[in-house]
Amino acid sequence: LKSVTGAFKRIGLEAIVSRDEKVIREAKGIVLPGVGTFPTAMKNLERFHLVSLLKERKEAGIPILGICLGMQILFEKGYEVEETKGLGFIPGYVSYMDIDEKIPHMGWNQLHKTQNHLLLKYVHENEDVYFVHSYYLKAEDEQIVKASAEYGVHIHASVEQKNVFACQFHPEKSSTAGLRILKNFVEL
């Protein structure tokens, strides 16, 4: 949370960390950062009665940005620890990176951009961003995938669908490229 709020501060915007319904309802944009496991994240969202509130804000057209685990829980289900239902904002699922490379995928890796991307505007092809993850997204609709990366498997690194945006990597830890991504989100 400190990295995310610090990154927003560096681009001149105060980000408020809250699970308060009133604060979330008044927000012009919502960021779902994520560290931990898919089941724990979903249990916490349910425990604090945020699942229906997030769905309501999504339906109201409020821009939502998921980062790392925050991206993963935007999808229908995840297979970390146990099969767990996600928010279901976007069709697809998250599974373990069963590869011959070192897990977790941690460090800098190049982004390969696809067509028409709002979040990655001004981010250059093959620009490096910072990843930390052991599970990866398999989006049902390839058209929503706006960038990918390679690490023993093809990783859907960034997706966009209407007002829902997400990055498997950490823009808040991705130097100037990451700050450009956060600025693009703010402009939405």
Side-chain angles (χ1 to χ4, degrees):
L1 292 175
K2 285 184 181 183
S3 296
V4 173
T5 56
F8 277 108
K9 192 173 195 174
R10 284 194 298 282
I11 63 170
L13 185 74
E14 180 187 6
I16 299 167
V17 177
S18 181
R19 60 179 172 237
D20 181 274
E21 183 178 328
K22 184 177 187 286
V23 171
I24 294 170
R25 271 215 168 79
E26 293 174 355
K28 294 179 181 174
I30 297 171
V31 177
L32 292 171
V35 175
T37 67
F38 196 111
T40 301
M42 289 307 300
K43 285 176 188 166
N44 284 331
L45 288 176
E46 291 163 4
R47 181 173 70 148
F48 295 113
H49 310 287
L50 296 176
V51 172
S52 60
L53 179 59
L54 289 170
K55 287 180 181 180
E56 171 194 305
R57 302 319 300 147
K58 175 193 167 277
E59 294 305 316
I62 300 301
I64 297 173
L65 172 62
I67 297 173
C68 198
L69 177 61
M71 170 193 186
Q72 295 175 359
I73 64 174
L74 293 171
F75 287 82
E76 294 171 309
K77 60 185 164 183
Y79 292 97
E80 185 175 3
V81 182
E82 61 192 16
E83 183 176 334
T84 305
K85 184 178 175 185
L87 291 169
F89 290 1
I90 307 173
Y93 65 93
V94 177
S95 65
Y96 183 68
M97 295 174 65
D98 191 9
I99 57 175
D100 292 332
E101 307 291 335
K102 183 180 176 187
I103 299 292
H105 172 209
M106 184 183 309
W108 298 91
N109 199 344
Q110 291 182 337
L111 280 184
H112 306 289
K113 298 191 324 181
T114 62
Q115 78 294 337
N116 302 327
H117 37 75
L118 299 172
L119 198 60
L120 302 176
K121 184 173 58 170
Y122 312 122
V123 174
H124 306 295
E125 176 65 19
N126 297 325
E127 195 151 8
D128 286 334
V129 292
Y130 194 79
F131 288 85
V132 180
H133 65 114
S134 300
Y135 291 79
Y136 72 114
L137 163 68
K138 293 184 181 183
E140 190 173 297
D141 180 5
E142 291 277 337
Q143 296 298 311
I144 69 165
V145 179
K146 302 304 177 182
S148 62
E150 301 298 327
Y151 188 76
V153 69
H154 185 71
I155 299 166
H156 293 163
S158 182
V159 298
E160 298 179 12
Q161 186 177 47
K162 297 179 183 171
N163 57 315
V164 179
F165 305 86
C167 302
Q168 180 61 71
F169 56 91
H170 289 266
E172 77 280 8
K173 296 178 186 267
S174 295
S175 190
T176 54
L179 293 179
R180 284 194 300 267
I181 290 167
L182 295 178
K183 282 182 186 177
N184 290 339
F185 179 70
V186 170
E187 289 174 7
L188 295 170

